Amino acid sequence: MSFPPCPQCQSEYVYPDQNHLICPECGHEWNPSERADDEVIRVKDANGSLLSEGDKAHVIKDLKIKGSSQVIKIGTKVNIRRIKDSKDHELDCKVEGVGEMMVTAKYVKKV
């Protein structure tokens, strides 16, 4: 079986112990199914406020929908469902009047 390297020392000699993985070189112990605080995705809106799942926001700029003639107008309400680790579109949202789509965080403002 292959385990991920130790997040502290990058050692490949990691072994399992019940639900945790242990590094014999540095003694670090962690649960691979839980995210560490430094791995949490932090996304900020246009004003610099941290966004989280379940937040409501407004669009601050008219956005053309790729592959369509539709436009999302300024002030349209957005419900943030998930935050993804993506370079282009970080927010998986439900946009009022349009439906489900991915939106870039810099084009929304937290309500």
Side-chain angles (χ1 to χ4, degrees), residues 100-111:
E100 296 279 330
M101 65 179 11
M102 300 291 286
V103 178
T104 306
K106 67 182 179 181
Y107 298 124
V108 299
K109 180 175 72 171
K110 190 174 180 179
V111 175

Side-chain angles (χ1 to χ4, degrees), residues 2-3 13 26 33 55 65 70-71 75-76 86 90 93 104 110:
S2 177
F3 298 108
Y13 304 111
C26 69
S33 63
D55 283 346
I65 299 174
Q70 279 186 308
V71 175
T76 303
S86 173
E90 301 98 358
C93 303
T104 306
K110 190 174 180 179

Side-chain angles (χ1 to χ4, degrees), residues 4-96:
C6 175
Q8 284 190 339
C9 69
Q10 301 303 318
S11 171
E12 59 187 40
Y13 304 111
V14 175
Y15 64 91
D17 182 27
Q18 295 180 358
N19 294 337
H20 288 60
L21 294 177
I22 299 174
C23 175
E25 291 184 3
C26 69
H28 181 64
E29 188 174 323
W30 75 99
N31 188 341
S33 63
E34 295 177 1
R35 284 194 144 173
D37 288 340
D38 57 344
E39 293 179 8
V40 173
I41 302 168
R42 300 187 194 282
V43 177
K44 294 183 179 181
D45 69 356
N47 292 336
S49 301
L50 280 175
L51 296 171
S52 60
E53 295 176 1
D55 283 346
K56 294 183 186 334
H58 286 132
V59 177
I60 62 165
K61 176 184 174 183
D62 283 349
L63 301 174
K64 291 172 62 176
I65 299 174
K66 193 174 188 176
S68 173
S69 61
Q70 279 186 308
V71 175
I72 300 173
K73 297 286 188 180
I74 293 175
T76 303
K77 294 178 184 176
V78 173
N79 292 331
I80 301 169
R81 294 195 172 195
R82 274 178 270 156
I83 297 176
K84 304 223 177 187
D85 190 17
S86 173
K87 292 186 176 160
D88 294 339
H89 300 80
E90 301 98 358
L91 307 175
D92 185 10
C93 303
K94 182 168 184 180
V95 181
E96 189 175 274

